[in-house]
Amino acid sequence: MTVLYKANAARGAVWARLFAERAPDLPFRVWPDLGAAEEVRYLVAWQPPDRIMKTFPNLEILFSVGAGVDQFDFPALPRSLPVVRMLEPGIAESMAEYVVLAVLGLHRDLVAFIDQQRREVWEEIQVRAPADRRVGVMGLGQLGQAALGRLKPFGFRLSGWNRSPRSIDGVACHAGDESLKAFLAEVDILVCLLPLTEATRGILDADLFAALPTGAGLVNCGRGGHLVEADLLAALDSGQIGAAILDVADQEPLPPGHPFWRHPRILLTPHIASMTRPSQAVDFVLDTIARHRRGEPLPGLVDRDAGY
Ligand code: NDP
């Protein structure tokens, strides 16, 4: 019974050390060192190999090394194969930290000041009270809720939008497509923390921007596929969007010469809003394997129909 890791090789070496310490009897290998393929029962991957069940006929669980699973080609994976996304607590903690950074950055005009500095301009922008700033989060899952929790102490007016109804203390919650426009109309800084699915691909488009108050700020730390990049450029040009902080892009790394690189009202980070922490991730995988062996429900099990 082997656990195989197929993602960043340097991090794989850290996983191997942790497995050796915490589960010395459980064989752990790092791709491309497969050993006997029929022994592989658990695969922890960012991109699984093609023809996965042909390669690993006895595979019992496919783990995503990250919180998202949109990188998987679901039609190519047998429905009987459980897919589990990473739920180690460090992911939510660092995402909440990033969202606070980005929201405060937009609230205090950081993107504009970085541009002013480049142009050697010393000019004030009127500070607004947090109580006058409305922050809305799309996607009220583990990351959206963690972000809202960390935003609370700053005194912003908080709201959220989600597929199914949620009730979060101090947050005005909206649910379903029919409530999206009403939610957006009351949001000065919009944070996207949705999973990328057929229902959410391209959701950050011209129609959505038009439904926000003029000059709203955007934070995208979901996936690049949520954003229609040309629509954002047009909305920044017209002033409908004031500034954007983007952690993800449709093509990563962002290609040379892409207009986002030098846009004065876009601040980019290279998909680092949160990263899986090996120590807690190994505990999560070991705990999930133990639950699986006992026949218990698996935390982080992906709903194949919903796609997340
Ligand atoms: P969860 O599955 O816990 O939460 C997703 C939330 O989105 C759920 O509350 C879900 O609603 C809601 N949702 C799904 N589809 C829709 C829809 N069509 N309309 C409205 N709401 C919808 O995921 P996480 O919070 O753990 O992660 C969210 C995403 O964050 C990941 O999928 C990934 O894309 C991104 N991410 C980005 C990282 C980065 O570094 N930039 C790192 C980690 C994750 P419901 O309650 O009904 O299920």
Side-chain angles (χ1 to χ4, degrees):
M1 186 170 87
T2 300
V3 180
L4 177 68
Y5 179 95
K6 183 180 180 293
N8 177 292
R11 280 187 233 161
V14 179
W15 280 62
R17 186 173 46 73
L18 293 165
F19 260 82
E21 278 166 25
R22 296 179 195 174
D25 298 332
L26 187 57
F28 180 89
R29 290 175 175 271
V30 178
W31 180 276
D33 169 30
L34 302 187
E38 65 279 5
E39 289 294 319
V40 175
R41 300 291 169 90
Y42 302 102
L43 175 63
V44 183
W46 184 245
Q47 293 287 0
D50 294 339
R51 301 165 67 240
I52 188 168
M53 294 315 282
K54 279 243 171 352
T55 314
F56 305 116
N58 297 317
L59 193 64
E60 292 182 32
I61 300 182
L62 171 61
F63 287 92
S64 171
V65 84
V69 290
D70 50 283
Q71 75 278 18
F72 292 157
D73 175 16
F74 281 111
L77 301 174
R79 282 191 78 88
S80 55
L81 177 67
V83 177
V84 169
R85 67 199 194 89
M86 183 56 63
L87 284 189
E88 67 88 3
I91 295 180
E93 199 181 299
S94 40
M95 179 59 80
E97 191 177 86
Y98 182 94
V99 171
V100 167
L101 172 83
V103 167
L104 287 179
L106 291 171
H107 171 60
R108 296 304 304 261
D109 301 298
L110 187 65
V111 183
F113 288 129
I114 291 171
D115 178 46
Q116 287 194 183
Q117 181 179 347
R118 283 201 194 104
R119 294 186 290 115
E120 300 186 20
V121 172
W122 186 279
E123 208 169 86
E124 291 176 358
I125 299 174
Q126 182 62 48
V127 174
R128 265 167 74 172
D132 297 332
R133 193 79 80 173
R134 299 163 297 179
V135 179
V137 174
M138 300 174 82
L140 300 176
Q142 60 146 359
L143 302 185
Q145 291 190 43
L148 283 159
R150 281 289 177 91
L151 284 168
K152 255 180 212 165
F154 294 96
F156 296 113
R157 285 158 64 191
L158 301 175
S159 64
W161 179 75
N162 200 53
R163 195 173 71 142
S164 45
R166 285 285 156 99
S167 165
I168 306 171
D169 194 36
V171 179
C173 292
H174 303 253
D177 292 341
E178 54 297 338
S179 73
L180 180 58
K181 289 263 158 82
F183 160 72
L184 295 169
E186 305 281 328
V187 169
D188 301 310
I189 297 175
L190 181 69
V191 179
C192 177
L193 269 173
L194 290 165
L196 184 62
T197 65
E198 284 321 304
T200 64
R201 184 175 296 281
I203 192 167
L204 303 175
D205 66 357
D207 274 358
L208 179 141
F209 299 143
L212 290 164
T214 305
L218 173 69
V219 179
N220 187 17
C221 34
R223 287 287 183 259
H226 286 129
L227 176 66
V228 180
E229 295 185 344
D231 288 5
L232 175 61
L233 290 169
L236 287 164
D237 275 355
S238 72
Q240 181 57 22
I241 295 290
I245 297 186
L246 308 175
D247 182 54
V248 284
D250 207 20
Q251 194 185 331
E252 295 179 2
L254 196 69
H258 191 289
F260 286 1
W261 281 118
R262 290 177 184 278
H263 199 291
R265 280 186 289 137
I266 292 179
L267 185 61
L268 278 180
T269 51
H271 201 142
I272 47 70
S274 86
M275 271 178 212
T276 302
R277 298 178 188 171
S279 178
Q280 288 164 306
V282 165
D283 284 345
F284 172 75
V285 168
L286 287 173
D287 178 63
T288 307
I289 290 174
R291 286 172 193 262
H292 181 64
R293 302 231 75 81
R294 294 194 298 264
E296 294 173 7
L298 304 180
L301 184 67
V302 170
D303 174 343
R304 295 290 291 269
D305 295 318
Y308 67 96

